[in-house]
Amino acid sequence: MALPVSSPSPRLDRFGQAMESLYGSFSNIEDPNTWTPPPRSGGHRGRYLWTDAFGVVNFLTMHQEYKRTGNDTTGDDRYLVLAGRLIETVHDVLGKTRDGRSRLRGATDENPLSGGLRIGKTDARGPDGDGQYHHYLTVWMFALNRMAKASGDLKYNRQAIELAKAIHPRFFVDRAAARPRMIWKMSMDLSEPLVKSEGNLDPIDGFVVFRLLQDTAMEAGDGAFLAEEIDDYRRTMERKGEHFVSSDPLDLGMTLWTAHWFSGRERWAADLAGKCFEQIYNLFEINQYLERNIKFRLAFREFGTCMGIQCQSEVKEKERAVDLKCYSDAIIAAWDPYMQLSISDDLTPEDLRPITRVMYASALIPGGKLSQTILYDESGILTHFPIPAFQAGFLGPEPTPTP
């Protein structure tokens, strides 16, 4: 059994199965402190940054669920330890050159993230070759920040800040100007741009995640290390003006997730969440997205939509979010048979299905406290979502946001 807890829902079982399909049987791990994550994340040397970032956060969900159910009677932090071991492995693989012989340029053993982290693409060169993506790096920073909150060990937030300081100037053009621009993809050593266009979400990702890192640091008395970088993102957002909300399911879901961190208190984020809701209605009702042949759809992108809906549902406009929950259910129902087959198959190093599996877990039950938070009305209609691990407040009160 994947989770040593009494499962209140088949979704929790499938969550565990999806995670075990990537990281092996958890029940067979005798000593979590010596566990080495199997090379099954679908990337170079078995590691892929986006997949493993979701894997870390999913481990934190399992850790919280394990504690909540009362199974943690002996102080067994197995899933927290597994999250830490996965972090170490990613830093040791993706924080080094592809041959594994040296750290990335600018990094040292004492500061392993000062050279950034590779994406983990299987090809070294070419249009889809390895390099560094800003949005992958910010998701990894977020995972480190959540690990710091779950474990109480601020070294993880400090590692995230180290990574943020290292990569930030490399992804900016005319950083000191009034209207700076960003770069979509950098080379593995951050020496040159590979794709010079600006990512739609990159400025907002940076603005939100860097603030989370700084808020955690400020609460701990570490100081405002990222004030200049946050201002860079703020000016970039101002240059771009009103944010364009894409109809791509993953981009839409991640936009909604990003906005939820501040949509309850800041107008820009609330407005952005409202645009996302409108786009979701347009996508699923007007454009009849769910009627498309599943052969022409990508599961992991749709699982991002599910996660965004669930995160935003706890912030504001809950009735509206619950109304949108039918789309999340329809996505899961459409992909369930295929995911069950995928989970039962062996993976190959070139297989990109791991990114789908880990996001499937996050879409199924992206957080703990499941049995306490699923509520139904008299008609059996779901009226309250599970609290997701990607959601503000899941690991306790968040620090007071800095302006």
Side-chain angles (χ1 to χ4, degrees):
M1 185 175 179
L3 282 169
V5 296
S6 177
S7 172
S9 166
R11 286 196 174 195
L12 185 57
D13 291 331
R14 301 207 301 278
F15 175 97
Q17 291 167 6
M19 285 291 287
E20 287 193 327
S21 76
L22 298 181
Y23 299 112
S25 174
F26 302 135
S27 60
N28 292 335
I29 300 174
E30 295 184 2
D31 183 1
N33 290 286
T34 61
W35 176 67
T36 299
R40 297 166 63 88
S41 292
H44 179 247
R45 295 179 61 200
R47 303 265 64 89
Y48 196 71
L49 191 58
W50 181 278
T51 301
D52 284 331
F54 273 74
V56 169
V57 179
N58 285 348
F59 272 129
L60 300 182
T61 295
M62 299 169 81
H63 169 68
Q64 289 295 99
E65 185 70 10
Y66 187 39
K67 290 200 307 180
R68 185 195 62 75
T69 56
N71 285 276
D72 188 19
T73 57
T74 60
D76 185 351
D77 287 338
R78 69 184 71 183
Y79 297 116
L80 192 65
V81 174
L82 296 182
R85 291 290 296 149
L86 180 55
I87 288 170
E88 291 175 20
T89 303
V90 168
H91 291 175
D92 193 49
V93 175
L94 299 182
K96 290 184 177 179
T97 54
R98 288 176 65 88
D99 59 14
R101 296 178 180 175
S102 61
R103 295 283 181 188
L104 294 177
R105 189 168 70 176
T108 64
D109 289 342
E110 293 74 27
N111 298 289
L113 301 186
S114 292
L117 290 169
R118 293 186 294 112
I119 299 165
K121 296 284 188 179
T122 54
D123 294 332
R125 301 283 186 268
D128 196 35
D130 213 352
Q132 299 200 33
Y133 282 145
H134 183 273
H135 60 297
Y136 278 33
L137 292 163
T138 51
V139 169
W140 186 254
M141 293 174 207
F142 172 79
L144 291 174
N145 175 264
R146 296 297 92 183
M147 182 63 177
K149 287 191 67 67
S151 66
D153 190 342
L154 286 170
K155 80 173 184 181
Y156 294 105
N157 195 66
R158 290 166 185 151
Q159 286 179 342
I161 291 176
E162 175 191 329
L163 179 59
K165 299 288 282 187
I167 66 100
H168 178 82
R170 304 292 186 173
F171 280 90
F172 270 82
V173 177
D174 296 328
R175 181 185 174 192
R179 296 169 59 83
R181 297 189 61 84
M182 293 188 66
I183 292 169
W184 170 254
K185 183 180 181 181
M186 291 293 294
S187 61
M188 287 181 276
D189 63 0
L190 295 174
S191 64
E192 61 178 335
L194 297 182
V195 181
K196 295 183 179 180
S197 58
E198 187 172 69
N200 184 40
L201 263 181
D202 283 356
I204 296 176
D205 284 342
F207 184 64
V208 168
V209 172
F210 278 46
R211 289 177 69 187
L212 295 180
L213 304 185
Q214 178 152 291
D215 292 344
T216 301
M218 293 286 286
E219 184 180 57
D222 281 356
F225 290 113
L226 297 173
E228 291 184 4
E229 290 81 359
I230 291 169
D231 186 61
D232 291 340
Y233 291 118
R234 191 192 313 272
R235 286 182 291 115
T236 305
M237 290 167 61
E238 290 173 353
R239 173 188 59 78
K240 290 172 70 72
E242 188 171 316
H243 182 75
F244 168 73
V245 176
S246 170
S247 61
D248 173 80
L250 178 59
D251 197 58
L252 179 56
M254 295 307 292
T255 302
L256 198 54
W257 170 74
T258 305
H260 101 276
W261 286 94
F262 295 103
S263 61
R265 62 175 68 94
E266 296 183 11
R267 180 62 180 271
W268 72 268
D271 289 345
L272 183 56
K275 292 177 185 176
C276 288
F277 281 131
E278 293 174 3
Q279 186 64 277
I280 289 173
Y281 277 117
N282 289 337
L283 184 65
F284 293 111
E285 291 295 334
I286 297 176
N287 295 325
Q288 297 290 299
Y289 178 85
L290 294 174
E291 300 301 318
R292 298 178 186 177
N293 191 314
I294 206 162
K295 294 180 180 179
F296 305 107
R297 293 160 52 181
L298 290 173
F300 80 93
R301 306 193 78 82
E302 297 179 19
F303 295 151
T305 303
C306 297
M307 191 182 77
I309 289 174
Q310 294 187 55
C311 287
Q312 186 63 40
S313 70
E314 293 299 317
V315 179
K316 59 177 293 188
E317 299 186 85
K318 292 186 179 181
E319 292 184 2
R320 192 178 186 186
V322 167
D323 187 36
L324 296 179
K325 201 264 179 183
C326 63
Y327 305 128
S328 178
D329 280 348
I331 290 171
I332 295 295
W335 287 108
D336 258 340
Y338 301 94
M339 293 308 302
Q340 290 304 303
L341 287 173
S342 173
I343 288 171
S344 66
D345 288 343
D346 289 333
L347 293 171
T348 61
E350 294 78 19
D351 194 350
L352 287 180
R353 281 179 293 180
I355 196 172
T356 303
R357 298 181 190 197
V358 77
M359 292 191 70
Y360 173 64
S362 297
L364 279 170
I365 302 171
K369 303 182 182 177
L370 178 65
S371 60
Q372 293 182 355
T373 58
I374 290 185
L375 301 177
Y376 297 85
D377 63 16
E378 309 83 45
S379 304
I381 302 299
L382 181 68
T383 60
H384 198 70
F385 297 127
I387 297 176
F390 282 85
Q391 186 184 48
F394 171 70
L395 296 170
E398 301 293 339
T400 302
T402 54

mmCIF file of all heavy atoms in Angstrom, residues 9-30:
data_model
loop_
_atom_site.group_PDB
_atom_site.id
_atom_site.type_symbol
_atom_site.label_atom_id
_atom_site.label_comp_id
_atom_site.label_asym_id
_atom_site.label_seq_id
_atom_site.Cartn_x
_atom_site.Cartn_y
_atom_site.Cartn_z
ATOM 1 N N SER A 9 -10.741 7.692 0.265
ATOM 2 C CA SER A 9 -11.157 7.878 -1.119
ATOM 3 C C SER A 9 -10.274 7.064 -2.051
ATOM 4 O O SER A 9 -9.063 6.965 -1.841
ATOM 5 C CB SER A 9 -11.054 9.366 -1.495
ATOM 6 O OG SER A 9 -11.144 9.531 -2.889
ATOM 7 N N PRO A 10 -10.866 6.471 -3.113
ATOM 8 C CA PRO A 10 -10.035 5.799 -4.111
ATOM 9 C C PRO A 10 -9.006 6.730 -4.738
ATOM 10 O O PRO A 10 -7.963 6.279 -5.208
ATOM 11 C CB PRO A 10 -11.063 5.333 -5.143
ATOM 12 C CG PRO A 10 -12.356 5.240 -4.408
ATOM 13 C CD PRO A 10 -12.301 6.344 -3.392
ATOM 14 N N ARG A 11 -9.291 8.031 -4.733
ATOM 15 C CA ARG A 11 -8.329 8.965 -5.326
ATOM 16 C C ARG A 11 -7.016 8.963 -4.549
ATOM 17 O O ARG A 11 -5.949 9.140 -5.128
ATOM 18 C CB ARG A 11 -8.913 10.377 -5.370
ATOM 19 C CG ARG A 11 -9.982 10.562 -6.444
ATOM 20 C CD ARG A 11 -10.242 12.027 -6.696
ATOM 21 N NE ARG A 11 -11.151 12.227 -7.811
ATOM 22 C CZ ARG A 11 -11.334 13.386 -8.423
ATOM 23 N NH1 ARG A 11 -10.661 14.451 -8.030
ATOM 24 N NH2 ARG A 11 -12.173 13.498 -9.433
ATOM 25 N N LEU A 12 -7.093 8.790 -3.233
ATOM 26 C CA LEU A 12 -5.875 8.757 -2.439
ATOM 27 C C LEU A 12 -5.037 7.544 -2.811
ATOM 28 O O LEU A 12 -3.808 7.616 -2.871
ATOM 29 C CB LEU A 12 -6.208 8.745 -0.947
ATOM 30 C CG LEU A 12 -5.024 8.839 0.017
ATOM 31 C CD1 LEU A 12 -4.209 10.089 -0.251
ATOM 32 C CD2 LEU A 12 -5.506 8.807 1.462
ATOM 33 N N ASP A 13 -5.694 6.420 -3.071
ATOM 34 C CA ASP A 13 -4.954 5.233 -3.497
ATOM 35 C C ASP A 13 -4.274 5.476 -4.839
ATOM 36 O O ASP A 13 -3.125 5.084 -5.044
ATOM 37 C CB ASP A 13 -5.904 4.037 -3.605
ATOM 38 C CG ASP A 13 -6.412 3.579 -2.249
ATOM 39 O OD1 ASP A 13 -5.686 3.752 -1.261
ATOM 40 O OD2 ASP A 13 -7.543 3.041 -2.184
ATOM 41 N N ARG A 14 -4.984 6.098 -5.772
ATOM 42 C CA ARG A 14 -4.401 6.348 -7.087
ATOM 43 C C ARG A 14 -3.272 7.376 -6.992
ATOM 44 O O ARG A 14 -2.309 7.317 -7.758
ATOM 45 C CB ARG A 14 -5.487 6.809 -8.077
ATOM 46 C CG ARG A 14 -6.595 5.792 -8.243
ATOM 47 C CD ARG A 14 -7.283 5.872 -9.592
ATOM 48 N NE ARG A 14 -7.897 7.159 -9.875
ATOM 49 C CZ ARG A 14 -9.097 7.539 -9.437
ATOM 50 N NH1 ARG A 14 -9.791 6.745 -8.627
ATOM 51 N NH2 ARG A 14 -9.595 8.705 -9.782
ATOM 52 N N PHE A 15 -3.409 8.309 -6.084
ATOM 53 C CA PHE A 15 -2.331 9.263 -5.810
ATOM 54 C C PHE A 15 -1.053 8.505 -5.451
ATOM 55 O O PHE A 15 0.020 8.735 -6.022
ATOM 56 C CB PHE A 15 -2.754 10.183 -4.660
ATOM 57 C CG PHE A 15 -1.694 11.142 -4.187
ATOM 58 C CD1 PHE A 15 -1.666 12.446 -4.649
ATOM 59 C CD2 PHE A 15 -0.736 10.756 -3.263
ATOM 60 C CE1 PHE A 15 -0.705 13.344 -4.201
ATOM 61 C CE2 PHE A 15 0.238 11.632 -2.817
ATOM 62 C CZ PHE A 15 0.248 12.935 -3.285
ATOM 63 N N GLY A 16 -1.169 7.573 -4.502
ATOM 64 C CA GLY A 16 -0.008 6.797 -4.083
ATOM 65 C C GLY A 16 0.548 5.935 -5.185
ATOM 66 O O GLY A 16 1.767 5.813 -5.347
ATOM 67 N N GLN A 17 -0.335 5.326 -5.981
ATOM 68 C CA GLN A 17 0.116 4.490 -7.088
ATOM 69 C C GLN A 17 0.902 5.308 -8.117
ATOM 70 O O GLN A 17 1.919 4.847 -8.641
ATOM 71 C CB GLN A 17 -1.086 3.822 -7.753
ATOM 72 C CG GLN A 17 -1.765 2.771 -6.887
ATOM 73 C CD GLN A 17 -3.117 2.358 -7.446
ATOM 74 O OE1 GLN A 17 -3.510 2.765 -8.550
ATOM 75 N NE2 GLN A 17 -3.847 1.552 -6.694
ATOM 76 N N ALA A 18 0.409 6.499 -8.405
ATOM 77 C CA ALA A 18 1.099 7.354 -9.373
ATOM 78 C C ALA A 18 2.485 7.723 -8.864
ATOM 79 O O ALA A 18 3.471 7.708 -9.622
ATOM 80 C CB ALA A 18 0.269 8.603 -9.656
ATOM 81 N N MET A 19 2.584 8.065 -7.580
ATOM 82 C CA MET A 19 3.888 8.421 -7.018
ATOM 83 C C MET A 19 4.832 7.220 -6.998
ATOM 84 O O MET A 19 6.022 7.336 -7.320
ATOM 85 C CB MET A 19 3.703 8.987 -5.614
ATOM 86 C CG MET A 19 3.153 10.407 -5.575
ATOM 87 S SD MET A 19 4.354 11.623 -6.190
ATOM 88 C CE MET A 19 5.527 11.663 -4.822
ATOM 89 N N GLU A 20 4.305 6.044 -6.644
ATOM 90 C CA GLU A 20 5.163 4.858 -6.599
ATOM 91 C C GLU A 20 5.619 4.429 -7.992
ATOM 92 O O GLU A 20 6.675 3.814 -8.142
ATOM 93 C CB GLU A 20 4.433 3.718 -5.896
ATOM 94 C CG GLU A 20 4.328 3.912 -4.387
ATOM 95 C CD GLU A 20 3.896 2.645 -3.672
ATOM 96 O OE1 GLU A 20 3.107 1.879 -4.267
ATOM 97 O OE2 GLU A 20 4.350 2.437 -2.540
ATOM 98 N N SER A 21 4.835 4.757 -9.023
ATOM 99 C CA SER A 21 5.244 4.406 -10.381
ATOM 100 C C SER A 21 6.493 5.168 -10.798
ATOM 101 O O SER A 21 7.220 4.746 -11.697
ATOM 102 C CB SER A 21 4.102 4.682 -11.369
ATOM 103 O OG SER A 21 3.963 6.073 -11.637
ATOM 104 N N LEU A 22 6.759 6.293 -10.128
ATOM 105 C CA LEU A 22 7.962 7.087 -10.410
ATOM 106 C C LEU A 22 9.084 6.795 -9.431
ATOM 107 O O LEU A 22 10.253 6.708 -9.817
ATOM 108 C CB LEU A 22 7.632 8.579 -10.341
ATOM 109 C CG LEU A 22 6.605 9.130 -11.324
ATOM 110 C CD1 LEU A 22 6.439 10.619 -11.102
ATOM 111 C CD2 LEU A 22 7.036 8.856 -12.747
ATOM 112 N N TYR A 23 8.740 6.669 -8.154
ATOM 113 C CA TYR A 23 9.760 6.654 -7.112
ATOM 114 C C TYR A 23 9.898 5.313 -6.403
ATOM 115 O O TYR A 23 10.654 5.202 -5.443
ATOM 116 C CB TYR A 23 9.470 7.770 -6.108
ATOM 117 C CG TYR A 23 9.502 9.143 -6.746
ATOM 118 C CD1 TYR A 23 8.342 9.911 -6.874
ATOM 119 C CD2 TYR A 23 10.683 9.652 -7.271
ATOM 120 C CE1 TYR A 23 8.372 11.163 -7.479
ATOM 121 C CE2 TYR A 23 10.725 10.895 -7.881
ATOM 122 C CZ TYR A 23 9.560 11.643 -7.979
ATOM 123 O OH TYR A 23 9.592 12.889 -8.589
ATOM 124 N N GLY A 24 9.206 4.273 -6.909
ATOM 125 C CA GLY A 24 9.345 2.950 -6.340
ATOM 126 C C GLY A 24 8.423 2.724 -5.156
ATOM 127 O O GLY A 24 7.767 3.635 -4.658
ATOM 128 N N SER A 25 8.381 1.490 -4.696
ATOM 129 C CA SER A 25 7.514 1.118 -3.573
ATOM 130 C C SER A 25 8.024 1.737 -2.281
ATOM 131 O O SER A 25 9.148 1.475 -1.856
ATOM 132 C CB SER A 25 7.469 -0.405 -3.437
ATOM 133 O OG SER A 25 6.762 -0.779 -2.273
ATOM 134 N N PHE A 26 7.191 2.539 -1.658
ATOM 135 C CA PHE A 26 7.608 3.191 -0.416
ATOM 136 C C PHE A 26 7.668 2.200 0.745
ATOM 137 O O PHE A 26 8.442 2.380 1.680
ATOM 138 C CB PHE A 26 6.656 4.342 -0.086
ATOM 139 C CG PHE A 26 6.569 5.371 -1.184
ATOM 140 C CD1 PHE A 26 5.341 5.865 -1.591
ATOM 141 C CD2 PHE A 26 7.700 5.836 -1.818
ATOM 142 C CE1 PHE A 26 5.245 6.804 -2.607
ATOM 143 C CE2 PHE A 26 7.625 6.764 -2.836
ATOM 144 C CZ PHE A 26 6.389 7.251 -3.237
ATOM 145 N N SER A 27 6.839 1.166 0.695
ATOM 146 C CA SER A 27 6.817 0.196 1.780
ATOM 147 C C SER A 27 8.093 -0.647 1.814
ATOM 148 O O SER A 27 8.403 -1.276 2.830
ATOM 149 C CB SER A 27 5.598 -0.723 1.659
ATOM 150 O OG SER A 27 5.618 -1.429 0.431
ATOM 151 N N ASN A 28 8.834 -0.669 0.701
ATOM 152 C CA ASN A 28 10.068 -1.453 0.645
ATOM 153 C C ASN A 28 11.309 -0.658 1.045
ATOM 154 O O ASN A 28 12.422 -1.186 1.000
ATOM 155 C CB ASN A 28 10.272 -2.008 -0.771
ATOM 156 C CG ASN A 28 9.229 -3.055 -1.136
ATOM 157 O OD1 ASN A 28 8.658 -3.698 -0.255
ATOM 158 N ND2 ASN A 28 8.980 -3.215 -2.425
ATOM 159 N N ILE A 29 11.121 0.609 1.416
ATOM 160 C CA ILE A 29 12.263 1.441 1.817
ATOM 161 C C ILE A 29 12.535 1.224 3.301
ATOM 162 O O ILE A 29 11.761 1.647 4.160
ATOM 163 C CB ILE A 29 11.978 2.935 1.533
ATOM 164 C CG1 ILE A 29 11.727 3.155 0.041
ATOM 165 C CG2 ILE A 29 13.158 3.792 2.006
ATOM 166 C CD1 ILE A 29 11.291 4.566 -0.309
ATOM 167 N N GLU A 30 13.619 0.547 3.612
ATOM 168 C CA GLU A 30 13.938 0.232 5.001
ATOM 169 C C GLU A 30 14.432 1.467 5.758
ATOM 170 O O GLU A 30 14.062 1.698 6.908
ATOM 171 C CB GLU A 30 14.983 -0.884 5.065
ATOM 172 C CG GLU A 30 14.470 -2.217 4.522
ATOM 173 C CD GLU A 30 15.489 -3.324 4.686
ATOM 174 O OE1 GLU A 30 16.582 -3.064 5.258
ATOM 175 O OE2 GLU A 30 15.202 -4.458 4.252
#
